[in-house]
Amino acid sequence: MSISCGIVGLPNVGKSTLFNALTRADILAANYPFATIEPNTGIVPVPDERLDVLQKMYAAEKIIPATVTFVDIAGLVAGASKGEGLGNKFLDNIRKTDAIVHVVRAFENDDILRHDEAPVDPKADIEIINTELILADLQTIEKHLPKLQKEAKARPALRETMTYLESLQRHLEEGTPLSALPSLDEEKISDLHLLTAKPVIYAFNVDENGLTDEAHKKELSDLVAPAKSLFVCAKLEEEIKDLTEVEAQELLSSYGVTETGLQQLIHSAYDTLGLQSYLTAGPKEVRAWTIHKGYTAPQAAGVIHTDFERGFIAAQIVDYDDLVAAGSEQAAKAAGKVRTEGKTYVMQPGDVVEFRFNV
């Protein structure tokens, strides 16, 4: 499975600059509203040092990492839910993503235009985006409810769904994004593609000094808690995108940063969406597969091919650390580190797996 994250925010907050840095793309990143009109898409490999180690161990022909798709979506403005700016098109693009990365400007620079020529105000900017998403969801539910209410009169089984949507409508009218609720019945809302039901990661675009300003970072993260927040300097990310890995790490370290913006975003996306990966290895390829946490071995096999899940017999599993310590799969077997698991086994992040199945 592959995951997609929509990068959203007000105009001129650094979305496209950050997208360029994350994907090593060269799209237009201009200093005026709506520099991005069509959504730009970049498929990015998930950094995983284990793949290089296993490639050497198995003398594999190639490596296939897991991937994340980032979509740079046109800047949103107040009134987007009513079609202002590129509103409706923007909102439709968000509906297709698994999670939202909300880029918020948190730095001062007189050379960069503000969307409304007002002082930099992260809280106000966040509220503009959230309000538009809430209004869009209200429109979706209000459009859907009358038909559902009519059908529920003849089909009592639909009344529970109708009541549930009415409760969501009340929360939205109170200004509460659906992602802020303790839980959501995904089955009842799956066909509505509600925007505020998507998990949100807040990426605060700070200047170089802001990367280590812990007091300011706490102040910003408190604005969006309990949602995940991270802090990147889009300008710095742009500088390191063409450097070697060693050079990039040295530059980041000079600013007190241990991870690139890409690494931070991917880790946050996996955590927010409840994902993990497992590995397969052999002479032809070494590969990382993305699955939901809690997947059983047959479900994990189904990510490779649905026939693998249907015909699942067993999984031969060795923990990555045990495999590396042994030096080879044969040595790991000799040391009793390779085991056979059945249909109820819950996959773990360090699993290196070979599935057995009937075709």
Side-chain angles (χ1 to χ4, degrees):
M1 64 185 298
S2 180
I3 61 174
S4 61
C5 296
I7 301 177
V8 306
L10 294 166
N12 298 335
V13 297
K15 292 187 300 84
S16 294
T17 300
L18 182 60
F19 175 87
N20 285 344
L22 294 175
T23 62
R24 299 198 173 189
D26 291 305
I27 62 169
L28 177 64
N31 182 22
Y32 52 85
F34 310 128
T36 304
I37 298 177
E38 293 296 330
N40 298 288
T41 300
I43 299 175
V44 179
V46 175
D48 192 337
E49 295 176 352
R50 300 175 303 174
L51 297 177
D52 294 315
V53 174
L54 292 179
Q55 183 185 34
K56 293 176 183 176
M57 181 181 293
Y58 285 86
E61 294 175 11
K62 60 182 177 180
I63 287 175
I64 304 178
T67 60
V68 175
T69 299
F70 288 107
V71 184
D72 177 37
I73 297 171
L76 183 65
V77 297
S81 60
K82 299 177 182 178
E84 293 292 331
L86 301 171
N88 293 328
K89 186 165 188 155
F90 169 96
L91 297 172
D92 285 341
N93 290 331
I94 301 176
R95 294 184 199 281
K96 301 171 186 176
T97 62
D98 298 309
I100 295 172
V101 177
H102 183 170
V103 180
V104 184
R105 179 176 171 178
F107 66 92
E108 297 283 353
N109 187 332
D110 293 337
D111 293 331
I112 298 179
L113 298 174
R114 284 279 292 159
H115 59 92
D116 56 4
E117 298 184 0
V120 173
D121 188 343
K123 182 179 179 181
D125 289 357
I126 290 168
E127 288 174 352
I128 290 173
I129 296 282
N130 286 343
T131 296
E132 294 305 321
L133 299 183
I134 286 171
L135 290 173
D137 280 353
L138 273 172
Q139 287 180 8
T140 299
I141 291 178
E142 288 167 357
K143 183 178 179 180
H144 185 74
L145 261 179
K147 180 182 177 183
L148 183 61
Q149 289 164 338
K150 184 177 180 180
E151 292 177 348
K153 292 178 181 179
R155 297 171 57 193
L158 294 176
R159 290 176 186 170
E160 187 178 341
T161 299
M162 178 191 72
T163 302
Y164 184 66
L165 288 184
E166 289 171 343
S167 72
L168 296 185
Q169 183 181 32
R170 288 192 293 273
H171 285 297
L172 290 168
E173 288 171 344
E174 293 167 358
T176 304
L178 300 183
S179 60
L181 299 180
S183 63
L184 286 172
D185 190 330
E186 300 289 348
E187 187 175 341
K188 288 185 173 65
I189 63 173
S190 61
D191 60 333
L192 298 181
H193 305 290
L194 297 172
L195 301 172
T196 67
K198 295 181 183 295
V200 181
I201 301 165
Y202 288 90
F204 290 99
N205 187 9
V206 299
D207 58 23
E208 291 91 337
N209 294 328
L211 291 171
T212 53
D213 188 339
E214 298 303 323
H216 187 44
K217 286 162 65 174
K218 183 179 185 307
E219 180 183 345
L220 293 171
S221 60
D222 285 347
L223 292 175
V224 299
K228 287 195 174 297
S229 56
L230 52 91
F231 305 89
V232 296
C233 174
K235 180 183 175 183
L236 180 59
E237 295 292 331
E238 189 175 39
E239 289 178 17
I240 68 172
K241 73 172 184 176
D242 296 321
L243 300 179
T244 66
E245 188 175 336
V246 173
E247 291 171 336
Q249 198 57 56
E250 288 177 353
L251 182 57
L252 287 173
S253 297
S254 69
Y255 288 101
V257 179
T258 58
E259 288 188 318
T260 65
L262 175 62
Q263 290 169 325
Q264 291 184 64
L265 267 178
I266 287 176
H267 291 157
S268 294
Y270 266 62
D271 194 30
T272 299
L273 293 169
L275 302 173
Q276 66 185 41
S277 62
Y278 72 88
L279 307 171
T280 56
K284 288 189 176 181
E285 68 178 36
V286 171
R287 184 163 183 168
W289 302 87
T290 300
I291 59 172
H292 288 283
K293 291 178 181 177
Y295 262 23
T296 61
Q299 288 175 310
V303 171
I304 299 176
H305 197 289
T306 53
D307 287 347
F308 286 22
E309 182 173 5
R310 284 195 293 266
F312 179 87
I313 298 174
Q316 179 179 285
I317 296 176
V318 58
D319 180 77
Y320 170 80
D321 290 333
D322 290 339
L323 178 59
V324 172
S328 69
E329 187 177 316
Q330 293 255 3
K333 286 180 179 178
K337 298 298 183 180
V338 179
R339 63 193 191 278
T340 300
E341 300 286 357
K343 293 182 178 181
T344 60
Y345 175 74
V346 176
M347 300 292 292
Q348 300 301 309
D351 288 344
V352 181
V353 190
E354 180 181 343
F355 293 110
R356 296 172 184 169
F357 57 94
N358 284 321
V359 181

